[in-house]
Each structure stands twice: as structure tokens, then as C-alpha cells.
Amino acid sequence: MTVLGLAVRMTIRDRLPVISILYYATPLMMLTLGGLFSTAGWLIRRRWKLTVGFLIITLFSGYLTFDQCYVYRSREIKATNLRVLFWNPARGSVQGLRAAADAANNYQADLIGIVEGGARGRDDNNAAWDNALPDYNSSRLHAGLVILTKGTINSSQMHILPGRGKVLIAEVVIHEQPLTVAVVDFDANVFLSRKAAIDELMNQLDQSGKSPDIIMGDFNTPGDSVAMDVLRDRYTNAFDTCGNGYKPTWPVPMPVLQLDHIWLGPKIWGAKCEAGWTTLSDHRPLILEAYLEHGNDD
């Protein structure tokens, strides 16, 4: 499985529907652990050639794991004036929702994007966010998606995407700068096409008339997926350019996949992006420190 998983990840990745299931099921960390077990197994059996072969494969997989999962690229700039939080608290109860809302407030971000931000079966989910974050303006909750900011929100609209995905697009003003913000939530079903959802996402963003400055969300898709290439062509992944620390965000307490992402347009200059740790959700929150507008003035 280790050899096959590495071969898929280094060649076709998730281009083919059936093969994509193997791609999603074999993150690099799991491939490395699988290689270690295989090496130990052949060592116990004293099959020396297989032991050496799997040891080499495991070391290679371990190198890829470290290279892709641990990032230290934070950048020094004169000052940051934009703090962004994205999080999937995935709360199913009122108590859990209130705890998540309180935790989000502790980050003191200028802009917050939330998915799965409602307690199931409740009609007053907005109250949890309004009460915990009284200094924020809210887009109001749309199918679990909400945008909150210490600036102003001029408009917001939700769109349904293929494969039970959704996106909330809002026009906000922060520090007297207008920004277009999109918050995305894709379904976790590995049998559903991510490409169709991302293609429609880009179509909806284009139809909005303004290229988003920040796209953040739970894409339920690893960052090296071929479906992400269209985003990579037009936006910058914050963790890839200014990330600091361990990149995978799911599942807590032992995350092995980077499912949550923040993508930046040219107006935003990322200085530092980190994934926090919390026991309130199986997703780690993403925190971005950035400089708004004049990003090239180091």
C-alpha cells in the first residue's frame, strides 16, 4: 500500500475518480507509518532485501512528509494590519457552539470565516455568535457559513456548488479598504468530484464581478490535489507562502490532511499563517497575519 500510495501521489494524484479514493486515503504521514510497519515486519522475518527496500521507501516518504507538512516561511514586514481567522468548529450542540464562538473571539481577528457554525436543529444559531462576539458585524448564518468582521459588511450572498458544496461571498470594508471575501465548505464524501465544485466556485466568483481578495474554507481537499490547480493559478495559498509550523488541519488530535485553506489575492500580503490547536473541534483553526493593500512595501 505504501508503494502504491506514493506512486499515486507522485503521478496522477486524484485525476481519476476511482484512484482519487486511494489518494485521499493515503496521506503522506500514513504512508510513512505504513512503511515503518512494513520495514519492521520484513526485518522480523529476516528478509533482508525487502527490509532494505522498504527502509529506503520509508525514508523517502518520511522526507516528503517533513518537506510538505512542516513549513517555516513566515515573512518579516514592517507591520501587519489584518488578522484573519478561519475555522470549522463542527459543533453539533448548543453548548459546543457557544464554546466555539467564545474561542473564536479570543483570537481577536479583524475578519473571521466560519463553516459548520450552527447547532443542529436550532433556529437561534446567530445568537451564539452575536453574544460571543459583540464587537463584530455579521453576515448572518447561511447554512452554517458566517462571516464576521470588526469592519462593515455591505452585502453577502450564498451559492450552492456541485456535490453539496456551498460558498458565501461578502463585500466588506476593513481599515477603510473594501475587500471581497469568500467562505467555502465542500462535502467530505470522497466519491464526490472536487473539480466540479471548484470549477463552479470559480464561476460564481467570476460572476460576482470582483475577484475575491480572500478565499477561505474547508475544502475537504488536500492542498496538492489537481482540483486545486485552478485556484493556484489565480491565488496564493497562505500556508505555502508564509506558513509557520505543522500544516495538516484534520483530524484533531492527530491531523494528517490539510483540508482547510486560506487563499489570497494580490491585495493581501501574507506575513504569517499558522494552524492552532484546540479540543473543541476535529479541525484546527487557521490564523493569518497579513498586510493589507501595500504588500510590496517591505
Side-chain angles (χ1 to χ4, degrees):
M1 181 62 73
T2 300
V3 176
L4 181 59
L6 279 174
V8 168
R9 299 193 74 85
M10 297 187 65
T11 55
I12 60 176
R13 293 180 283 170
D14 54 342
R15 284 187 175 90
L16 302 177
V18 177
I19 300 299
S20 65
I21 300 173
L22 177 62
Y23 165 81
Y24 293 128
T26 54
L28 284 171
M29 185 68 74
M30 300 305 296
L31 290 176
T32 301
L33 291 175
L36 284 173
F37 282 116
S38 296
T39 302
W42 291 120
L43 178 63
I44 292 172
R45 298 178 188 180
R46 298 186 179 183
R47 303 287 296 273
W48 307 120
K49 290 184 178 179
L50 288 171
T51 298
V52 173
F54 271 93
L55 178 60
I56 293 172
I57 292 171
T58 301
L59 290 174
F60 178 66
S61 178
Y63 165 76
L64 292 178
T65 300
F66 183 83
D67 182 63
Q68 295 187 25
C69 294
Y70 291 90
V71 179
Y72 298 96
R73 297 172 184 160
S74 57
R75 301 185 285 192
E76 294 292 334
I77 61 176
K78 290 180 180 178
T80 58
N81 59 6
L82 181 66
R83 185 173 174 86
V84 179
L85 167 68
F86 170 75
W87 190 25
N88 178 352
R91 305 318 305 169
S93 67
V94 176
Q95 293 78 11
L97 175 60
R98 290 171 179 166
D102 287 336
N105 191 35
N106 292 335
Y107 287 101
Q108 289 298 299
D110 301 291
L111 176 68
I112 300 175
I114 298 290
V115 303
E116 295 192 39
R120 298 186 184 95
R122 300 287 296 192
D123 296 326
D124 58 349
N125 288 315
N126 283 297
W129 298 104
D130 291 341
N131 293 337
L133 294 88
D135 297 330
Y136 287 78
N137 290 309
S138 167
S139 68
R140 315 306 292 168
L141 205 65
H142 297 271
L145 282 64
V146 63
I147 293 172
L148 304 108
T149 178
K150 291 185 176 180
T152 59
I153 298 178
N154 293 332
S155 65
S156 63
Q157 187 173 10
M158 194 189 78
H159 304 276
I160 301 299
L161 305 174
R164 298 197 293 270
K166 44 192 178 286
V167 57
L168 177 63
I169 304 175
E171 301 293 334
V172 307
V173 178
I174 301 176
H175 304 313
E176 300 182 350
Q177 292 288 339
L179 297 173
T180 302
V181 179
V183 174
V184 177
D185 188 18
F186 286 178
D187 193 90
N189 190 339
V190 296
F191 296 98
L192 297 175
S193 170
R194 269 54 169 176
K195 184 179 186 304
I198 291 181
D199 286 347
E200 180 58 23
L201 168 64
M202 302 306 290
N203 180 52
Q204 292 293 344
L205 297 178
D206 290 340
Q207 289 185 13
S208 69
K210 294 183 179 179
S211 179
D213 300 293
I214 300 176
I215 305 172
M216 49 184 163
D218 175 7
F219 287 81
N220 272 304
T221 310
D224 58 353
S225 165
V226 294
M228 290 294 201
D229 288 347
V230 65
L231 270 170
R232 240 184 309 273
D233 289 342
R234 295 171 55 178
Y235 301 95
T236 301
N237 187 291
F239 220 110
D240 288 344
T241 56
C242 62
N244 192 62
Y246 187 60
K247 184 191 295 188
T249 59
W250 181 89
V252 173
M254 297 181 63
V256 294
L257 287 171
Q258 181 200 18
L259 301 183
D260 306 275
H261 307 266
I262 297 178
W263 297 83
L264 305 177
K267 189 185 294 185
I268 312 295
W269 177 261
K272 184 177 182 181
C273 186
E274 293 183 307
W277 290 96
T278 177
T279 58
L280 293 174
S281 171
D282 58 350
H283 286 259
R284 301 172 69 196
L286 289 178
I287 308 99
L288 170 71
E289 299 281 352
Y291 188 61
L292 177 59
E293 188 62 33
H294 301 297
N296 56 353
D297 296 335
D298 282 331

